[in-house]
Short mmCIF file of all heavy atoms in Angstrom, two decimals:
data_model
loop_
_atom_site.label_atom_id
_atom_site.label_comp_id
_atom_site.label_asym_id
_atom_site.label_seq_id
_atom_site.Cartn_x
_atom_site.Cartn_y
_atom_site.Cartn_z
N MET A 252 18.17 -19.75 17.63
CA MET A 252 17.00 -19.33 18.36
C MET A 252 15.97 -18.80 17.37
O MET A 252 16.31 -18.24 16.36
CB MET A 252 17.38 -18.26 19.37
CG MET A 252 18.32 -18.79 20.43
SD MET A 252 18.34 -18.03 22.06
CE MET A 252 17.79 -16.43 21.92
N GLY A 253 14.73 -18.97 17.75
CA GLY A 253 13.65 -18.52 16.87
C GLY A 253 13.23 -17.10 17.18
O GLY A 253 13.79 -16.42 18.03
N ARG A 254 12.24 -16.67 16.46
CA ARG A 254 11.71 -15.33 16.69
C ARG A 254 10.82 -15.34 17.92
O ARG A 254 10.10 -16.31 18.18
CB ARG A 254 10.92 -14.87 15.49
CG ARG A 254 11.80 -14.68 14.30
CD ARG A 254 10.99 -14.21 13.13
NE ARG A 254 11.88 -14.10 11.98
CZ ARG A 254 12.03 -12.97 11.31
NH1 ARG A 254 11.36 -11.91 11.62
NH2 ARG A 254 12.86 -12.93 10.30
N ILE A 255 10.83 -14.27 18.65
CA ILE A 255 10.06 -14.17 19.88
C ILE A 255 8.66 -13.66 19.56
O ILE A 255 8.49 -12.70 18.82
CB ILE A 255 10.78 -13.23 20.87
CG1 ILE A 255 12.12 -13.83 21.23
CG2 ILE A 255 9.93 -13.01 22.10
CD1 ILE A 255 13.01 -12.90 22.01
N LYS A 256 7.65 -14.32 20.12
CA LYS A 256 6.26 -13.91 19.92
C LYS A 256 5.83 -13.04 21.10
O LYS A 256 6.23 -13.25 22.23
CB LYS A 256 5.34 -15.14 19.88
CG LYS A 256 5.71 -16.15 18.84
CD LYS A 256 5.40 -15.66 17.46
CE LYS A 256 5.60 -16.76 16.45
NZ LYS A 256 6.48 -16.41 15.38
N THR A 257 4.97 -12.06 20.82
CA THR A 257 4.50 -11.17 21.88
C THR A 257 3.45 -11.89 22.73
O THR A 257 2.91 -12.92 22.34
CB THR A 257 3.87 -9.90 21.28
OG1 THR A 257 2.73 -10.28 20.51
CG2 THR A 257 4.86 -9.15 20.42
N LYS A 258 3.15 -11.31 23.88
CA LYS A 258 2.15 -11.88 24.77
C LYS A 258 0.78 -11.94 24.10
O LYS A 258 0.02 -12.87 24.32
CB LYS A 258 2.04 -11.07 26.06
CG LYS A 258 3.13 -11.33 27.05
CD LYS A 258 2.85 -10.58 28.34
CE LYS A 258 3.94 -10.85 29.34
NZ LYS A 258 3.68 -10.16 30.62
N ASP A 259 0.48 -10.93 23.28
CA ASP A 259 -0.81 -10.91 22.60
C ASP A 259 -0.96 -12.12 21.69
O ASP A 259 -2.00 -12.78 21.68
CB ASP A 259 -0.97 -9.63 21.77
CG ASP A 259 -1.07 -8.38 22.63
OD1 ASP A 259 -1.48 -8.51 23.81
OD2 ASP A 259 -0.76 -7.29 22.13
N ILE A 260 0.07 -12.42 20.92
CA ILE A 260 0.04 -13.56 20.00
C ILE A 260 -0.15 -14.85 20.80
O ILE A 260 -0.97 -15.70 20.45
CB ILE A 260 1.33 -13.64 19.17
CG1 ILE A 260 1.55 -12.37 18.34
CG2 ILE A 260 1.36 -14.89 18.30
CD1 ILE A 260 0.58 -12.15 17.23
N LYS A 261 0.62 -14.99 21.87
CA LYS A 261 0.54 -16.20 22.68
C LYS A 261 -0.83 -16.35 23.34
O LYS A 261 -1.41 -17.44 23.33
CB LYS A 261 1.63 -16.19 23.75
CG LYS A 261 3.01 -16.36 23.18
CD LYS A 261 4.05 -16.34 24.27
CE LYS A 261 5.44 -16.47 23.69
NZ LYS A 261 6.46 -16.49 24.71
N ASN A 262 -1.35 -15.27 23.90
CA ASN A 262 -2.65 -15.34 24.58
C ASN A 262 -3.76 -15.68 23.60
O ASN A 262 -4.62 -16.52 23.89
CB ASN A 262 -2.96 -14.03 25.30
CG ASN A 262 -2.08 -13.82 26.51
OD1 ASN A 262 -1.54 -14.78 27.07
ND2 ASN A 262 -1.92 -12.58 26.92
N ILE A 263 -3.78 -15.04 22.44
CA ILE A 263 -4.81 -15.31 21.44
C ILE A 263 -4.69 -16.75 20.95
O ILE A 263 -5.70 -17.46 20.84
CB ILE A 263 -4.72 -14.32 20.27
CG1 ILE A 263 -5.08 -12.92 20.74
CG2 ILE A 263 -5.62 -14.74 19.13
CD1 ILE A 263 -4.78 -11.81 19.74
N GLY A 264 -3.47 -17.20 20.68
CA GLY A 264 -3.25 -18.56 20.22
C GLY A 264 -3.72 -19.60 21.22
O GLY A 264 -4.42 -20.56 20.87
N LYS A 265 -3.37 -19.42 22.47
CA LYS A 265 -3.78 -20.36 23.52
C LYS A 265 -5.30 -20.36 23.69
O LYS A 265 -5.92 -21.42 23.85
CB LYS A 265 -3.11 -20.00 24.85
CG LYS A 265 -1.64 -20.31 24.88
CD LYS A 265 -1.01 -19.84 26.17
CE LYS A 265 0.50 -20.01 26.15
NZ LYS A 265 1.14 -19.47 27.36
N GLU A 266 -5.90 -19.19 23.64
CA GLU A 266 -7.34 -19.07 23.78
C GLU A 266 -8.07 -19.79 22.64
O GLU A 266 -9.06 -20.50 22.87
CB GLU A 266 -7.73 -17.59 23.80
CG GLU A 266 -9.17 -17.32 24.12
CD GLU A 266 -9.44 -15.83 24.19
OE1 GLU A 266 -8.64 -15.10 24.82
OE2 GLU A 266 -10.45 -15.40 23.61
N LEU A 267 -7.58 -19.62 21.42
CA LEU A 267 -8.21 -20.28 20.27
C LEU A 267 -8.07 -21.79 20.34
O LEU A 267 -9.01 -22.52 20.02
CB LEU A 267 -7.61 -19.76 18.96
CG LEU A 267 -8.00 -18.35 18.58
CD1 LEU A 267 -7.18 -17.87 17.39
CD2 LEU A 267 -9.48 -18.28 18.25
N VAL A 268 -6.91 -22.28 20.79
CA VAL A 268 -6.72 -23.73 20.91
C VAL A 268 -7.62 -24.30 21.99
O VAL A 268 -8.15 -25.40 21.86
CB VAL A 268 -5.23 -24.07 21.16
CG1 VAL A 268 -5.05 -25.52 21.55
CG2 VAL A 268 -4.41 -23.74 19.93
N GLU A 269 -7.85 -23.54 23.06
CA GLU A 269 -8.75 -24.00 24.11
C GLU A 269 -10.20 -24.03 23.62
O GLU A 269 -10.95 -24.95 23.93
CB GLU A 269 -8.65 -23.10 25.35
CG GLU A 269 -7.39 -23.31 26.14
CD GLU A 269 -7.25 -22.33 27.30
OE1 GLU A 269 -8.22 -21.60 27.59
OE2 GLU A 269 -6.18 -22.29 27.90
N LYS A 270 -10.60 -23.01 22.85
CA LYS A 270 -11.97 -22.94 22.34
C LYS A 270 -12.25 -23.98 21.26
O LYS A 270 -13.31 -24.57 21.21
CB LYS A 270 -12.27 -21.56 21.76
CG LYS A 270 -12.61 -20.52 22.76
CD LYS A 270 -13.04 -19.25 22.04
CE LYS A 270 -13.35 -18.14 23.00
NZ LYS A 270 -13.71 -16.90 22.30
N PHE A 271 -11.28 -24.15 20.34
CA PHE A 271 -11.45 -25.03 19.19
C PHE A 271 -10.32 -26.05 19.10
O PHE A 271 -9.54 -26.03 18.14
CB PHE A 271 -11.47 -24.21 17.89
CG PHE A 271 -12.41 -23.04 17.91
CD1 PHE A 271 -11.92 -21.75 18.00
CD2 PHE A 271 -13.77 -23.23 17.81
CE1 PHE A 271 -12.77 -20.66 18.00
CE2 PHE A 271 -14.64 -22.15 17.81
CZ PHE A 271 -14.15 -20.86 17.90
N PRO A 272 -10.21 -26.97 20.06
CA PRO A 272 -9.06 -27.89 20.04
C PRO A 272 -9.05 -28.84 18.85
O PRO A 272 -7.99 -29.27 18.41
CB PRO A 272 -9.21 -28.66 21.36
CG PRO A 272 -10.64 -28.53 21.72
CD PRO A 272 -11.11 -27.22 21.16
N ASP A 273 -10.21 -29.15 18.30
CA ASP A 273 -10.27 -30.11 17.20
C ASP A 273 -10.07 -29.47 15.83
O ASP A 273 -9.90 -30.17 14.84
CB ASP A 273 -11.60 -30.86 17.23
CG ASP A 273 -12.79 -29.91 17.20
OD1 ASP A 273 -12.65 -28.77 17.69
OD2 ASP A 273 -13.85 -30.30 16.69
N LYS A 274 -10.06 -28.15 15.74
CA LYS A 274 -9.93 -27.47 14.45
C LYS A 274 -8.49 -27.29 14.00
O LYS A 274 -8.24 -27.13 12.82
CB LYS A 274 -10.60 -26.09 14.50
CG LYS A 274 -12.10 -26.15 14.48
CD LYS A 274 -12.67 -24.80 14.17
CE LYS A 274 -14.17 -24.93 14.00
NZ LYS A 274 -14.72 -23.76 13.36
N PHE A 275 -7.54 -27.31 14.91
CA PHE A 275 -6.15 -27.01 14.58
C PHE A 275 -5.29 -28.27 14.58
O PHE A 275 -5.60 -29.23 15.27
CB PHE A 275 -5.57 -25.99 15.55
CG PHE A 275 -6.28 -24.66 15.53
CD1 PHE A 275 -7.13 -24.29 16.55
CD2 PHE A 275 -6.09 -23.79 14.48
CE1 PHE A 275 -7.78 -23.08 16.53
CE2 PHE A 275 -6.74 -22.57 14.44
CZ PHE A 275 -7.59 -22.22 15.47
N ASN A 276 -4.20 -28.23 13.80
CA ASN A 276 -3.23 -29.32 13.82
C ASN A 276 -1.83 -28.74 13.60
O ASN A 276 -1.65 -27.53 13.73
CB ASN A 276 -3.58 -30.40 12.78
CG ASN A 276 -3.58 -29.90 11.37
OD1 ASN A 276 -2.89 -28.94 11.03
ND2 ASN A 276 -4.35 -30.55 10.51
N ILE A 277 -0.86 -29.58 13.24
CA ILE A 277 0.52 -29.10 13.13
C ILE A 277 0.87 -28.60 11.73
O ILE A 277 2.02 -28.36 11.43
CB ILE A 277 1.53 -30.18 13.58
CG1 ILE A 277 1.39 -31.45 12.73
CG2 ILE A 277 1.36 -30.49 15.04
CD1 ILE A 277 2.48 -32.44 12.97
N ASN A 278 -0.13 -28.41 10.87
CA ASN A 278 0.08 -27.92 9.51
C ASN A 278 -0.21 -26.42 9.46
O ASN A 278 -1.34 -25.99 9.67
CB ASN A 278 -0.83 -28.68 8.55
CG ASN A 278 -0.61 -28.30 7.11
OD1 ASN A 278 0.07 -27.33 6.81
ND2 ASN A 278 -1.20 -29.07 6.22
N PHE A 279 0.81 -25.63 9.13
CA PHE A 279 0.69 -24.17 9.11
C PHE A 279 -0.35 -23.69 8.10
O PHE A 279 -1.20 -22.85 8.42
CB PHE A 279 2.06 -23.55 8.79
CG PHE A 279 2.03 -22.06 8.62
CD1 PHE A 279 1.89 -21.22 9.71
CD2 PHE A 279 2.16 -21.50 7.37
CE1 PHE A 279 1.87 -19.85 9.55
CE2 PHE A 279 2.15 -20.13 7.20
CZ PHE A 279 2.00 -19.31 8.29
N GLU A 280 -0.31 -24.23 6.89
CA GLU A 280 -1.25 -23.80 5.84
C GLU A 280 -2.69 -24.09 6.24
O GLU A 280 -3.59 -23.28 6.02
CB GLU A 280 -0.93 -24.49 4.50
CG GLU A 280 0.40 -24.10 3.91
CD GLU A 280 0.47 -22.64 3.50
OE1 GLU A 280 -0.55 -22.08 3.09
OE2 GLU A 280 1.56 -22.06 3.62
N TYR A 281 -2.92 -25.25 6.84
CA TYR A 281 -4.26 -25.62 7.29
C TYR A 281 -4.74 -24.65 8.38
O TYR A 281 -5.88 -24.19 8.36
CB TYR A 281 -4.25 -27.05 7.81
CG TYR A 281 -5.57 -27.49 8.38
CD1 TYR A 281 -6.61 -27.88 7.55
CD2 TYR A 281 -5.79 -27.51 9.76
CE1 TYR A 281 -7.82 -28.27 8.07
CE2 TYR A 281 -6.99 -27.90 10.28
CZ TYR A 281 -8.02 -28.28 9.43
OH TYR A 281 -9.22 -28.65 9.96
N ASN A 282 -3.86 -24.33 9.32
CA ASN A 282 -4.23 -23.41 10.41
C ASN A 282 -4.54 -22.02 9.88
O ASN A 282 -5.43 -21.34 10.38
CB ASN A 282 -3.11 -23.35 11.45
CG ASN A 282 -3.02 -24.63 12.25
OD1 ASN A 282 -3.94 -25.44 12.28
ND2 ASN A 282 -1.89 -24.83 12.89
N LYS A 283 -3.81 -21.58 8.84
CA LYS A 283 -4.11 -20.28 8.23
C LYS A 283 -5.52 -20.27 7.66
O LYS A 283 -6.27 -19.30 7.85
CB LYS A 283 -3.12 -19.98 7.10
CG LYS A 283 -1.84 -19.38 7.55
CD LYS A 283 -0.93 -18.85 6.47
CE LYS A 283 -1.21 -19.15 5.05
NZ LYS A 283 -0.17 -18.65 4.14
N ARG A 284 -5.90 -21.34 6.99
CA ARG A 284 -7.25 -21.41 6.41
C ARG A 284 -8.32 -21.44 7.49
O ARG A 284 -9.37 -20.82 7.34
CB ARG A 284 -7.38 -22.64 5.51
CG ARG A 284 -6.79 -22.38 4.14
CD ARG A 284 -7.09 -23.51 3.18
NE ARG A 284 -5.81 -24.20 2.94
CZ ARG A 284 -5.57 -25.48 3.22
NH1 ARG A 284 -6.51 -26.25 3.67
NH2 ARG A 284 -4.39 -25.99 2.99
N VAL A 285 -8.05 -22.14 8.60
CA VAL A 285 -9.00 -22.18 9.71
C VAL A 285 -9.18 -20.78 10.29
O VAL A 285 -10.31 -20.33 10.54
CB VAL A 285 -8.55 -23.17 10.81
CG1 VAL A 285 -9.39 -23.03 12.06
CG2 VAL A 285 -8.61 -24.59 10.29
N LEU A 286 -8.09 -20.05 10.47
CA LEU A 286 -8.17 -18.70 11.00
C LEU A 286 -8.90 -17.78 10.04
O LEU A 286 -9.64 -16.88 10.46
CB LEU A 286 -6.78 -18.16 11.33
CG LEU A 286 -6.09 -18.82 12.52
CD1 LEU A 286 -4.65 -18.32 12.64
CD2 LEU A 286 -6.84 -18.57 13.80
N ASP A 287 -8.72 -17.98 8.73
CA ASP A 287 -9.47 -17.20 7.74
C ASP A 287 -10.97 -17.48 7.86
O ASP A 287 -11.79 -16.56 7.77
CB ASP A 287 -9.01 -17.53 6.32
CG ASP A 287 -7.85 -16.69 5.87
OD1 ASP A 287 -7.62 -15.62 6.48
OD2 ASP A 287 -7.16 -17.10 4.92
N ASP A 288 -11.33 -18.74 8.07
CA ASP A 288 -12.74 -19.10 8.21
C ASP A 288 -13.36 -18.50 9.47
O ASP A 288 -14.53 -18.14 9.47
CB ASP A 288 -12.91 -20.61 8.23
CG ASP A 288 -12.58 -21.24 6.89
OD1 ASP A 288 -12.58 -20.51 5.87
OD2 ASP A 288 -12.33 -22.46 6.86
N LEU A 289 -12.56 -18.39 10.53
CA LEU A 289 -13.06 -17.81 11.78
C LEU A 289 -13.23 -16.29 11.68
O LEU A 289 -13.95 -15.69 12.47
CB LEU A 289 -12.13 -18.15 12.94
CG LEU A 289 -12.06 -19.62 13.33
CD1 LEU A 289 -11.01 -19.82 14.42
CD2 LEU A 289 -13.41 -20.13 13.81
N LYS A 290 -12.55 -15.66 10.72
CA LYS A 290 -12.65 -14.21 10.45
C LYS A 290 -12.44 -13.36 11.71
O LYS A 290 -13.20 -12.47 12.00
CB LYS A 290 -14.02 -13.88 9.86
CG LYS A 290 -14.35 -14.67 8.64
CD LYS A 290 -14.47 -13.80 7.45
CE LYS A 290 -14.98 -14.63 6.32
NZ LYS A 290 -14.23 -14.67 5.17
N ILE A 291 -11.36 -13.64 12.42
CA ILE A 291 -11.04 -12.91 13.64
C ILE A 291 -10.08 -11.76 13.37
O ILE A 291 -10.16 -10.71 14.00
CB ILE A 291 -10.44 -13.86 14.69
CG1 ILE A 291 -11.48 -14.92 15.06
CG2 ILE A 291 -9.98 -13.12 15.92
CD1 ILE A 291 -10.95 -15.99 15.97
N PHE A 292 -9.19 -11.92 12.39
CA PHE A 292 -8.10 -10.98 12.20
C PHE A 292 -8.27 -10.16 10.93
O PHE A 292 -8.77 -10.65 9.92
CB PHE A 292 -6.77 -11.72 12.15
CG PHE A 292 -6.63 -12.67 13.30
CD1 PHE A 292 -6.78 -14.02 13.12
CD2 PHE A 292 -6.41 -12.18 14.57
CE1 PHE A 292 -6.69 -14.88 14.18
CE2 PHE A 292 -6.32 -13.04 15.64
CZ PHE A 292 -6.46 -14.40 15.45
N ASP A 293 -7.80 -8.93 10.98
CA ASP A 293 -7.85 -8.04 9.82
C ASP A 293 -6.62 -8.18 8.95
O ASP A 293 -6.70 -8.05 7.74
CB ASP A 293 -7.98 -6.59 10.27
CG ASP A 293 -9.30 -6.32 10.98
OD1 ASP A 293 -10.26 -7.06 10.71
OD2 ASP A 293 -9.35 -5.39 11.79
N SER A 294 -5.48 -8.43 9.57
CA SER A 294 -4.23 -8.42 8.80
C SER A 294 -3.69 -9.83 8.60
O SER A 294 -3.85 -10.71 9.44
CB SER A 294 -3.18 -7.57 9.52
OG SER A 294 -2.76 -8.21 10.70
N LYS A 295 -3.05 -10.02 7.45
CA LYS A 295 -2.42 -11.30 7.13
C LYS A 295 -1.27 -11.59 8.08
O LYS A 295 -1.06 -12.73 8.47
CB LYS A 295 -1.87 -11.28 5.71
CG LYS A 295 -2.84 -11.57 4.64
CD LYS A 295 -2.06 -11.94 3.40
CE LYS A 295 -2.56 -11.18 2.22
NZ LYS A 295 -1.78 -11.47 1.01
N ARG A 296 -0.54 -10.55 8.40
CA ARG A 296 0.64 -10.73 9.25
C ARG A 296 0.25 -11.28 10.63
O ARG A 296 0.89 -12.21 11.14
CB ARG A 296 1.37 -9.40 9.39
CG ARG A 296 2.68 -9.52 10.09
CD ARG A 296 3.42 -8.21 10.04
NE ARG A 296 4.74 -8.41 10.63
CZ ARG A 296 5.56 -7.45 10.92
NH1 ARG A 296 5.24 -6.20 10.66
NH2 ARG A 296 6.73 -7.70 11.45
N MET A 297 -0.80 -10.73 11.22
CA MET A 297 -1.27 -11.19 12.52
C MET A 297 -1.78 -12.63 12.41
O MET A 297 -1.47 -13.48 13.25
CB MET A 297 -2.38 -10.28 13.03
CG MET A 297 -2.93 -10.70 14.36
SD MET A 297 -1.81 -10.32 15.68
CE MET A 297 -2.69 -9.01 16.46
N ARG A 298 -2.54 -12.92 11.35
CA ARG A 298 -3.04 -14.27 11.13
C ARG A 298 -1.89 -15.27 11.02
O ARG A 298 -1.92 -16.33 11.63
CB ARG A 298 -3.87 -14.31 9.85
CG ARG A 298 -4.43 -15.69 9.54
CD ARG A 298 -4.77 -15.85 8.10
NE ARG A 298 -3.57 -15.75 7.27
CZ ARG A 298 -3.59 -15.56 5.97
NH1 ARG A 298 -4.72 -15.41 5.34
NH2 ARG A 298 -2.47 -15.50 5.28
N ASN A 299 -0.87 -14.91 10.26
CA ASN A 299 0.26 -15.81 10.06
C ASN A 299 1.05 -16.04 11.34
O ASN A 299 1.49 -17.16 11.61
CB ASN A 299 1.18 -15.29 8.96
CG ASN A 299 0.55 -15.37 7.60
OD1 ASN A 299 -0.46 -16.03 7.41
ND2 ASN A 299 1.15 -14.68 6.65
N LYS A 300 1.25 -15.00 12.12
CA LYS A 300 1.97 -15.16 13.38
C LYS A 300 1.22 -16.08 14.33
O LYS A 300 1.81 -16.94 14.98
CB LYS A 300 2.19 -13.80 14.05
CG LYS A 300 3.27 -12.99 13.40
CD LYS A 300 3.52 -11.72 14.18
CE LYS A 300 4.66 -10.94 13.59
NZ LYS A 300 5.09 -9.86 14.46
N ILE A 301 -0.10 -15.91 14.41
CA ILE A 301 -0.89 -16.74 15.30
C ILE A 301 -0.94 -18.17 14.79
O ILE A 301 -0.85 -19.12 15.57
CB ILE A 301 -2.29 -16.13 15.49
CG1 ILE A 301 -2.15 -14.83 16.28
CG2 ILE A 301 -3.21 -17.10 16.22
CD1 ILE A 301 -3.38 -14.01 16.41
N ALA A 302 -1.06 -18.36 13.48
CA ALA A 302 -1.06 -19.71 12.91
C ALA A 302 0.26 -20.41 13.21
O ALA A 302 0.28 -21.60 13.55
CB ALA A 302 -1.31 -19.65 11.41
N GLY A 303 1.36 -19.69 13.10
CA GLY A 303 2.67 -20.27 13.41
C GLY A 303 2.80 -20.63 14.88
O GLY A 303 3.35 -21.69 15.23
N PHE A 304 2.29 -19.79 15.75
CA PHE A 304 2.35 -20.09 17.18
C PHE A 304 1.47 -21.30 17.51
O PHE A 304 1.85 -22.14 18.33
CB PHE A 304 1.93 -18.89 18.02
CG PHE A 304 1.96 -19.19 19.49
CD1 PHE A 304 3.18 -19.32 20.15
CD2 PHE A 304 0.80 -19.36 20.20
CE1 PHE A 304 3.22 -19.62 21.51
CE2 PHE A 304 0.83 -19.66 21.55
CZ PHE A 304 2.05 -19.79 22.20
N ILE A 305 0.32 -21.41 16.84
CA ILE A 305 -0.56 -22.55 17.09
C ILE A 305 0.11 -23.85 16.65
O ILE A 305 -0.02 -24.88 17.32
CB ILE A 305 -1.92 -22.34 16.39
CG1 ILE A 305 -2.70 -21.25 17.13
CG2 ILE A 305 -2.72 -23.63 16.35
CD1 ILE A 305 -3.99 -20.84 16.47
N VAL A 306 0.88 -23.81 15.56
CA VAL A 306 1.63 -25.00 15.13
C VAL A 306 2.58 -25.41 16.24
O VAL A 306 2.66 -26.58 16.62
CB VAL A 306 2.40 -24.73 13.82
CG1 VAL A 306 3.40 -25.83 13.54
CG2 VAL A 306 1.44 -24.57 12.67
N ARG A 307 3.30 -24.46 16.76
CA ARG A 307 4.25 -24.75 17.83
C ARG A 307 3.54 -25.31 19.06
O ARG A 307 3.99 -26.28 19.68
CB ARG A 307 5.00 -23.46 18.18
CG ARG A 307 6.02 -23.63 19.24
CD ARG A 307 6.71 -22.33 19.50
NE ARG A 307 7.64 -22.51 20.59
CZ ARG A 307 8.77 -21.87 20.71
NH1 ARG A 307 9.11 -20.98 19.82
NH2 ARG A 307 9.57 -22.09 21.73
N LEU A 308 2.41 -24.71 19.41
CA LEU A 308 1.63 -25.14 20.57
C LEU A 308 1.10 -26.56 20.38
O LEU A 308 1.15 -27.39 21.30
CB LEU A 308 0.49 -24.16 20.79
CG LEU A 308 -0.26 -24.19 22.10
CD1 LEU A 308 0.68 -23.92 23.26
CD2 LEU A 308 -1.36 -23.15 22.08
N MET A 309 0.60 -26.86 19.18
CA MET A 309 0.06 -28.19 18.91
C MET A 309 1.17 -29.24 18.95
O MET A 309 0.95 -30.37 19.41
CB MET A 309 -0.66 -28.22 17.56
CG MET A 309 -1.89 -27.35 17.49
SD MET A 309 -3.11 -27.66 18.76
CE MET A 309 -3.79 -29.21 18.20
N LYS A 310 2.37 -28.91 18.48
CA LYS A 310 3.49 -29.84 18.55
C LYS A 310 3.86 -30.12 20.01
O LYS A 310 4.17 -31.26 20.37
CB LYS A 310 4.71 -29.28 17.80
CG LYS A 310 4.59 -29.39 16.31
CD LYS A 310 5.84 -28.86 15.63
CE LYS A 310 5.73 -28.95 14.13
NZ LYS A 310 6.94 -28.40 13.46
N GLN A 311 3.82 -29.07 20.84
CA GLN A 311 4.12 -29.27 22.27
C GLN A 311 3.08 -30.18 22.90
O GLN A 311 3.42 -31.08 23.67
CB GLN A 311 4.15 -27.93 23.00
CG GLN A 311 5.36 -27.09 22.73
CD GLN A 311 5.27 -25.73 23.41
OE1 GLN A 311 4.23 -25.35 23.93
NE2 GLN A 311 6.36 -24.97 23.35
N LEU A 312 1.81 -29.96 22.59
CA LEU A 312 0.74 -30.78 23.16
C LEU A 312 0.86 -32.23 22.68
O LEU A 312 0.61 -33.16 23.46
CB LEU A 312 -0.63 -30.22 22.77
CG LEU A 312 -0.99 -28.86 23.38
CD1 LEU A 312 -2.29 -28.34 22.78
CD2 LEU A 312 -1.09 -28.95 24.88
N GLU A 313 1.27 -32.41 21.43
CA GLU A 313 1.46 -33.75 20.89
C GLU A 313 2.59 -34.48 21.62
O GLU A 313 2.47 -35.65 21.94
CB GLU A 313 1.77 -33.64 19.40
CG GLU A 313 1.77 -34.96 18.67
CD GLU A 313 2.01 -34.74 17.20
OE1 GLU A 313 1.03 -34.51 16.47
OE2 GLU A 313 3.19 -34.80 16.78
N ARG A 314 3.69 -33.78 21.88
CA ARG A 314 4.82 -34.38 22.59
C ARG A 314 4.43 -34.74 24.02
O ARG A 314 4.86 -35.76 24.53
CB ARG A 314 6.02 -33.44 22.60
CG ARG A 314 6.87 -33.57 21.37
CD ARG A 314 8.13 -32.76 21.48
NE ARG A 314 7.99 -31.65 20.54
CZ ARG A 314 8.19 -30.39 20.82
NH1 ARG A 314 8.56 -30.02 22.01
NH2 ARG A 314 8.01 -29.46 19.91
N GLU A 315 3.65 -33.89 24.66
CA GLU A 315 3.26 -34.14 26.05
C GLU A 315 2.34 -35.35 26.16
O GLU A 315 2.37 -36.07 27.15
CB GLU A 315 2.57 -32.92 26.64
CG GLU A 315 3.50 -31.78 26.91
CD GLU A 315 2.77 -30.53 27.37
OE1 GLU A 315 1.54 -30.56 27.50
OE2 GLU A 315 3.44 -29.51 27.58
N SER A 316 1.49 -35.57 25.15
CA SER A 316 0.54 -36.67 25.21
C SER A 316 1.21 -38.02 24.95
O SER A 316 0.67 -39.06 25.30
CB SER A 316 -0.59 -36.46 24.20
OG SER A 316 -0.11 -36.53 22.89
N ASN A 317 2.39 -38.04 24.31
CA ASN A 317 3.08 -39.31 24.03
C ASN A 317 3.92 -39.73 25.17
O ASN A 317 4.29 -39.44 26.09
CB ASN A 317 3.96 -39.18 22.78
CG ASN A 317 3.12 -39.08 21.54
OD1 ASN A 317 1.99 -39.53 21.53
ND2 ASN A 317 3.66 -38.47 20.52
#
């Protein structure tokens, strides 16, 4: 089993994917850079958690579309 994400992480991640669907993909490093460019978060830890959740979310969306 993986690590559990809090509701805050999930809500922010889903909101960002809805606002910017074309900016994110399934690459964690790329998503970290996109979040850095958006300048939303103060801490690296929060940025990394959200980037990781977005990777998971994008993989789910990719599976659903196939």
Side-chain angles (χ1 to χ4, degrees):
M252 296 207 335
R254 294 180 182 237
I255 297 170
K256 305 288 188 234
T257 63
K258 281 186 180 182
D259 293 335
I260 301 292
K261 290 180 182 181
N262 289 337
I263 292 169
K265 288 176 186 176
E266 188 177 314
L267 288 171
V268 169
E269 286 176 9
K270 279 187 182 178
F271 310 107
D273 55 331
K274 286 195 174 196
F275 298 106
N276 61 27
I277 59 171
N278 184 349
F279 175 73
E280 295 294 327
Y281 176 79
N282 289 343
K283 276 190 350 184
R284 279 188 250 120
V285 170
L286 290 173
D287 272 341
D288 292 341
L289 294 175
K290 305 245 187 236
I291 297 174
F292 311 104
D293 295 334
S294 69
K295 277 198 229 177
R296 188 173 185 190
M297 179 74 109
R298 180 202 63 195
N299 290 347
K300 284 185 176 191
I301 292 172
F304 179 72
I305 289 174
V306 168
R307 181 179 177 148
L308 194 60
M309 295 306 287
K310 284 182 181 179
Q311 286 176 350
L312 293 173
E313 189 176 273
R314 274 188 250 129
E315 288 174 2
S316 67
N317 290 335

